[in-house]
Amino acid sequence: MSQQADKPVSNERVEAQYEEYLMPIWKSLNVPIKRASNCTVEDFEGNEYLDVFSGISVTNAGHNNEAVVEAAKEQLDEFVHGCTYVHPNEPAAELGEKLAETTPGDLRKSFFCNSGTEAVEGAIKLARKYTGSKEVLALEMSFHGRTLGSLALTGNKAYKSEMAPTINDVAHVAPPYAYRCQMCDGGPCSCACAEDVKHVIDTHTADDLAAVIVEPVLGEGGIIVPPEGWLSRVKEIAHDHGALLIVDEVQAGYGRTGEMWASDHFDVVPDIMPQAKGIANGLPLGAFTASAEVADAFESGDHLSTFGGNPVACAAALATIEQLEDGIVDNAREQGAWLSDQLAELEAEYDVVGEARGLGLMQGIELVDHSGTGPMDVAPAPDAKLAKHVAKHLREEKIIMGVGGFHSNVLRFQPPLTISQKQLSRTVDALRDAIEAHRGDSSA
């Protein structure tokens, strides 16, 4: 029996158990959760926080969404597990059909797994099987997961330190990061970073390209939105070289950007589309979806997942999609437009706000220090210290906001898509106060 079993549950106890028994895999937001509802979470001492991060962009339909919870409970009463790929079940079958209807263009067949990382790795396997080629191109500053295969695709050494990615046939290309673009020399965007894909293929590959994988909006990279025409040009180059375009919608999908899929903003249909995070509103589920032609390259035994497509998670996913389509995506679009205007005002008001950017309710502001120079001198230096101070200030005001970006200087607005304008207004006001209070703290 645990030595703490006779002690009342408290923030302190849970944090102590984490310290003693859980591996320190990621930085904590220091807000233990006892319960959650819609856009708020509550700790063990009764403190209520406005959640503007939604478990890293997961609870898109709101914490503890009643319809999603009820769907999961109903399936729990029927059966919990039979391995979807051994025993066909109705929730997985219905979800497969629903994704065929919901995903872009001719995407039709899905494989269910447990996470975004697994969805990405499965997509790479499928692309290799379909094309007969092995090499993959990914973006610098991208994030696709933390297992060894997906880590090879991720374009950030901070995640790779002391790890040895097992996919060797990976090259990286310049990201569509206009604020710190090293190709357009401060002038109007020319989409030169898209042309870099062709350059890297010609100079860094062995003419054995299976896929180019991109995020339609880079999440961990710092909420980076590609310029118009970039994604379609990347797809064209990939196809010219006999490769597939994999669009990783794990973080940007399921209404996050104000459209069901971020790809929809750019009128591009991926060849394979990994998904996860918002798919089941917090239950563990991932998927990758492809056209029938591409999907049928898989033969029996090529890929499998014991828990993938768990019927409880699939039932929750069906309810989640129904909730998203019933006005929640519309709310993300409307509130996102309002929020974008507010953040643009902050950019104009404070020189420490280098850039505000995003789509829908996937927004970020990049904090900078004008006393230093940034990468290649194209923008002021990233200010990670200020971002940390601001996030801590917000947490003290009972608002949870994520910090990320390649340079750890981007404040991330990724709330439940059910958030109200009143709640967003509270967040923006608190953010303004935090910037006022800490904009001189970079050297602290």
Side-chain angles (χ1 to χ4, degrees), residues 61-105:
H63 286 289
N64 222 33
N65 181 287
E66 184 177 350
V68 176
V69 171
E70 191 58 37
K73 285 180 177 178
E74 289 180 4
Q75 181 57 41
L76 279 168
D77 287 337
E78 296 297 326
F79 71 100
V80 175
H81 174 75
C83 186
T84 293
Y85 299 104
V86 174
H87 300 286
N89 66 76
E90 182 182 12
E94 291 292 326
L95 181 57
E97 182 174 355
K98 183 63 178 177
L99 288 181
E101 297 170 356
T102 307
T103 50

Coordinates of all heavy atoms in Angstrom, one line a residue, residues 61-105:
A61 N -13.7 20.0 -28.1 CA -15.2 20.1 -27.9 C -15.5 20.6 -26.4 O -16.6 20.5 -26.0 CB -15.9 18.8 -28.2
G62 N -14.4 21.0 -25.7 CA -14.6 21.4 -24.3 C -14.4 20.2 -23.3 O -14.8 19.1 -23.6
H63 N -13.8 20.6 -22.2 CA -13.5 19.5 -21.2 C -14.8 18.9 -20.8 O -15.9 19.6 -20.5 CB -12.9 20.2 -19.9 CG -11.4 20.5 -20.1 ND1 -10.4 19.6 -20.2 CD2 -10.8 21.7 -20.2 CE1 -9.3 20.2 -20.3 NE2 -9.5 21.5 -20.3
N64 N -14.8 17.6 -20.7 CA -15.9 16.8 -20.1 C -17.2 17.0 -20.9 O -18.3 17.1 -20.3 CB -16.1 17.2 -18.6 CG -16.4 15.9 -17.8 OD1 -15.9 14.9 -18.1 ND2 -17.2 16.1 -16.8
N65 N -17.1 17.2 -22.2 CA -18.3 17.4 -23.0 C -19.3 16.3 -22.8 O -19.0 15.1 -22.9 CB -17.9 17.4 -24.5 CG -19.0 17.6 -25.5 OD1 -19.9 16.8 -25.7 ND2 -19.1 18.8 -26.0
E66 N -20.5 16.7 -22.5 CA -21.5 15.8 -22.0 C -21.8 14.7 -23.0 O -21.9 13.5 -22.7 CB -22.8 16.5 -21.6 CG -23.9 15.6 -21.0 CD -25.1 16.4 -20.6 OE1 -25.0 17.7 -20.6 OE2 -26.1 15.8 -20.3
A67 N -22.0 15.1 -24.3 CA -22.3 14.1 -25.3 C -21.2 13.1 -25.5 O -21.4 11.9 -25.8 CB -22.6 14.8 -26.6
V68 N -19.9 13.6 -25.5 CA -18.8 12.7 -25.7 C -18.6 11.7 -24.5 O -18.4 10.5 -24.7 CB -17.5 13.5 -25.8 CG1 -16.3 12.6 -25.9 CG2 -17.6 14.4 -27.1
V69 N -18.8 12.2 -23.3 CA -18.7 11.4 -22.1 C -19.8 10.3 -22.1 O -19.6 9.1 -21.9 CB -18.8 12.2 -20.8 CG1 -19.0 11.3 -19.6 CG2 -17.6 13.1 -20.7
E70 N -21.0 10.7 -22.5 CA -22.1 9.8 -22.6 C -21.9 8.7 -23.6 O -22.2 7.5 -23.4 CB -23.4 10.5 -22.9 CG -24.7 9.7 -22.7 CD -24.9 9.1 -21.3 OE1 -24.5 9.8 -20.3 OE2 -25.3 8.0 -21.1
A71 N -21.4 9.0 -24.8 CA -21.1 8.1 -25.8 C -20.1 7.0 -25.3 O -20.2 5.8 -25.6 CB -20.6 8.8 -27.1
A72 N -19.0 7.5 -24.6 CA -18.0 6.6 -24.1 C -18.6 5.7 -23.0 O -18.3 4.5 -23.0 CB -16.9 7.4 -23.5
K73 N -19.5 6.2 -22.2 CA -20.1 5.4 -21.1 C -21.0 4.3 -21.7 O -21.0 3.2 -21.3 CB -20.9 6.3 -20.2 CG -20.1 7.1 -19.2 CD -21.0 8.0 -18.3 CE -20.2 8.8 -17.3 NZ -21.1 9.6 -16.5
E74 N -21.7 4.7 -22.7 CA -22.6 3.7 -23.4 C -21.8 2.5 -24.0 O -22.2 1.4 -23.8 CB -23.5 4.4 -24.4 CG -24.6 5.3 -23.9 CD -25.4 5.9 -25.0 OE1 -25.2 5.6 -26.2 OE2 -26.2 6.8 -24.7
Q75 N -20.7 2.9 -24.6 CA -19.9 1.8 -25.2 C -19.2 1.0 -24.1 O -19.0 -0.3 -24.2 CB -18.8 2.4 -26.1 CG -17.9 1.4 -26.8 CD -18.7 0.3 -27.5 OE1 -19.7 0.6 -28.2 NE2 -18.3 -1.0 -27.4
L76 N -18.8 1.6 -23.0 CA -18.2 0.9 -21.8 C -19.2 -0.2 -21.3 O -18.7 -1.3 -20.9 CB -17.9 1.8 -20.7 CG -16.6 2.6 -20.8 CD1 -16.5 3.7 -19.8 CD2 -15.4 1.7 -20.7
D77 N -20.5 0.1 -21.4 CA -21.5 -0.9 -20.9 C -21.6 -2.1 -21.9 O -22.1 -3.2 -21.5 CB -22.8 -0.2 -20.7 CG -22.9 0.7 -19.5 OD1 -22.1 0.4 -18.6 OD2 -23.7 1.6 -19.5
E78 N -21.2 -1.9 -23.1 CA -21.3 -3.0 -24.1 C -20.0 -3.9 -24.1 O -20.1 -5.0 -23.8 CB -21.4 -2.4 -25.5 CG -22.7 -1.6 -25.7 CD -24.0 -2.5 -25.5 OE1 -23.9 -3.6 -25.9 OE2 -25.0 -1.9 -25.0
F79 N -18.9 -3.3 -24.4 CA -17.6 -4.0 -24.3 C -16.5 -3.0 -24.5 O -16.7 -2.0 -25.1 CB -17.5 -5.2 -25.3 CG -17.3 -4.8 -26.7 CD1 -16.0 -4.9 -27.3 CD2 -18.4 -4.5 -27.5 CE1 -15.9 -4.5 -28.6 CE2 -18.2 -4.2 -28.8 CZ -17.0 -4.2 -29.4
V80 N -15.3 -3.3 -23.9 CA -14.2 -2.3 -23.9 C -13.2 -2.7 -25.0 O -12.6 -1.8 -25.6 CB -13.6 -2.3 -22.5 CG1 -12.3 -1.4 -22.5 CG2 -14.6 -1.8 -21.5
H81 N -12.9 -4.0 -25.2 CA -11.8 -4.3 -26.1 C -12.0 -5.7 -26.7 O -12.5 -6.6 -26.1 CB -10.5 -4.4 -25.3 CG -9.3 -4.9 -26.1 ND1 -8.7 -4.1 -27.1 CD2 -8.7 -6.0 -26.2 CE1 -7.7 -4.8 -27.6 NE2 -7.7 -6.0 -27.1
G82 N -11.7 -5.7 -28.0 CA -11.7 -7.0 -28.7 C -10.6 -7.0 -29.8 O -10.6 -7.9 -30.6
C83 N -9.8 -6.0 -29.8 CA -8.9 -5.7 -30.9 C -9.6 -5.4 -32.2 O -10.1 -6.3 -32.9 CB -7.8 -6.8 -31.1 SG -6.6 -6.2 -32.3
T84 N -9.7 -4.2 -32.6 CA -10.5 -3.7 -33.8 C -10.0 -4.5 -35.0 O -10.9 -4.8 -35.9 CB -10.2 -2.2 -34.0 OG1 -10.9 -1.5 -32.9 CG2 -10.8 -1.7 -35.3
Y85 N -8.8 -4.9 -35.1 CA -8.3 -5.5 -36.3 C -8.4 -7.1 -36.3 O -8.1 -7.7 -37.2 CB -6.8 -5.1 -36.6 CG -6.8 -3.6 -36.8 CD1 -6.4 -2.7 -35.8 CD2 -7.3 -3.0 -38.0 CE1 -6.4 -1.4 -36.0 CE2 -7.4 -1.7 -38.1 CZ -6.9 -0.8 -37.1 OH -6.9 0.5 -37.3
V86 N -9.0 -7.6 -35.2 CA -9.3 -9.0 -35.1 C -10.8 -9.2 -35.1 O -11.4 -10.1 -35.8 CB -8.7 -9.6 -33.8 CG1 -9.1 -11.1 -33.7 CG2 -7.2 -9.6 -33.9
H87 N -11.5 -8.3 -34.3 CA -13.0 -8.4 -34.2 C -13.6 -7.1 -34.7 O -13.5 -6.1 -34.0 CB -13.4 -8.7 -32.8 CG -12.8 -10.0 -32.2 ND1 -13.3 -11.2 -32.6 CD2 -11.8 -10.2 -31.3 CE1 -12.7 -12.1 -31.9 NE2 -11.8 -11.6 -31.2
P88 N -14.2 -7.0 -35.9 CA -14.8 -5.8 -36.3 C -15.9 -5.3 -35.3 O -16.6 -6.1 -34.7 CB -15.5 -6.2 -37.6 CG -14.7 -7.4 -38.1 CD -14.3 -8.1 -36.9
N89 N -15.9 -4.0 -35.1 CA -16.9 -3.5 -34.2 C -17.6 -2.2 -34.8 O -17.0 -1.6 -35.7 CB -16.3 -3.2 -32.8 CG -15.3 -2.0 -32.9 OD1 -15.7 -0.9 -33.0 ND2 -14.0 -2.4 -32.8
E90 N -18.8 -2.0 -34.4 CA -19.6 -0.9 -35.0 C -18.9 0.5 -34.8 O -18.9 1.3 -35.8 CB -21.0 -0.9 -34.4 CG -21.9 0.2 -35.0 CD -23.3 0.2 -34.4 OE1 -23.5 -0.4 -33.4 OE2 -24.1 0.9 -35.0
P91 N -18.5 0.9 -33.6 CA -17.9 2.3 -33.5 C -16.7 2.5 -34.5 O -16.7 3.6 -35.1 CB -17.4 2.3 -32.0 CG -18.3 1.4 -31.3 CD -18.5 0.2 -32.3
A92 N -15.8 1.5 -34.6 CA -14.7 1.7 -35.5 C -15.2 1.8 -37.0 O -14.7 2.6 -37.8 CB -13.7 0.6 -35.4
A93 N -16.2 0.9 -37.3 CA -16.7 1.0 -38.7 C -17.4 2.3 -39.0 O -17.2 2.9 -40.1 CB -17.7 -0.2 -38.9
E94 N -18.2 2.8 -38.0 CA -18.9 4.0 -38.2 C -18.0 5.2 -38.3 O -18.2 6.1 -39.1 CB -19.9 4.2 -37.1 CG -21.1 3.3 -37.1 CD -22.1 3.5 -38.3 OE1 -22.2 4.7 -38.7 OE2 -22.6 2.6 -38.8
L95 N -16.9 5.2 -37.5 CA -15.9 6.2 -37.5 C -15.2 6.3 -38.8 O -14.9 7.3 -39.4 CB -15.0 6.1 -36.3 CG -13.9 7.2 -36.2 CD1 -14.5 8.6 -36.2 CD2 -13.0 7.0 -35.0
G96 N -14.8 5.1 -39.3 CA -14.2 5.0 -40.6 C -15.0 5.7 -41.7 O -14.5 6.4 -42.5
E97 N -16.3 5.3 -41.7 CA -17.2 5.9 -42.7 C -17.3 7.4 -42.5 O -17.3 8.2 -43.5 CB -18.6 5.3 -42.7 CG -19.5 5.8 -43.7 CD -20.9 5.1 -43.7 OE1 -21.0 4.1 -43.0 OE2 -21.8 5.5 -44.5
K98 N -17.4 7.9 -41.3 CA -17.5 9.3 -41.0 C -16.3 10.1 -41.4 O -16.4 11.2 -42.0 CB -17.7 9.5 -39.5 CG -18.0 11.0 -39.1 CD -19.2 11.5 -39.7 CE -19.5 12.9 -39.3 NZ -20.7 13.5 -40.0
L99 N -15.1 9.5 -41.3 CA -13.9 10.2 -41.7 C -13.8 10.2 -43.2 O -13.3 11.2 -43.8 CB -12.6 9.5 -41.1 CG -12.4 9.7 -39.6 CD1 -11.1 8.9 -39.2 CD2 -12.3 11.1 -39.3
A100 N -14.3 9.2 -43.9 CA -14.4 9.3 -45.4 C -15.2 10.4 -45.8 O -15.0 11.0 -46.9 CB -14.9 7.9 -45.9
E101 N -16.3 10.7 -45.1 CA -17.2 11.8 -45.4 C -16.6 13.2 -45.1 O -16.9 14.2 -45.7 CB -18.5 11.6 -44.7 CG -19.3 10.4 -45.1 CD -20.5 10.2 -44.2 OE1 -20.7 10.9 -43.2 OE2 -21.3 9.2 -44.4
T102 N -15.8 13.2 -44.0 CA -15.4 14.5 -43.4 C -14.0 15.0 -43.9 O -13.8 16.2 -44.0 CB -15.3 14.3 -41.9 OG1 -16.5 13.8 -41.4 CG2 -15.0 15.6 -41.2
T103 N -13.1 14.0 -44.2 CA -11.8 14.4 -44.6 C -11.8 15.0 -46.1 O -12.7 14.7 -46.8 CB -10.8 13.2 -44.5 OG1 -11.4 12.1 -45.2 CG2 -10.5 12.9 -43.1
P104 N -10.8 15.7 -46.4 CA -10.8 16.4 -47.8 C -10.7 15.4 -48.9 O -10.2 14.3 -48.8 CB -9.5 17.2 -47.7 CG -9.1 17.4 -46.3 CD -9.6 16.1 -45.6
G105 N -11.3 15.9 -50.1 CA -11.2 15.2 -51.3 C -11.5 13.7 -51.3 O -12.5 13.3 -50.8

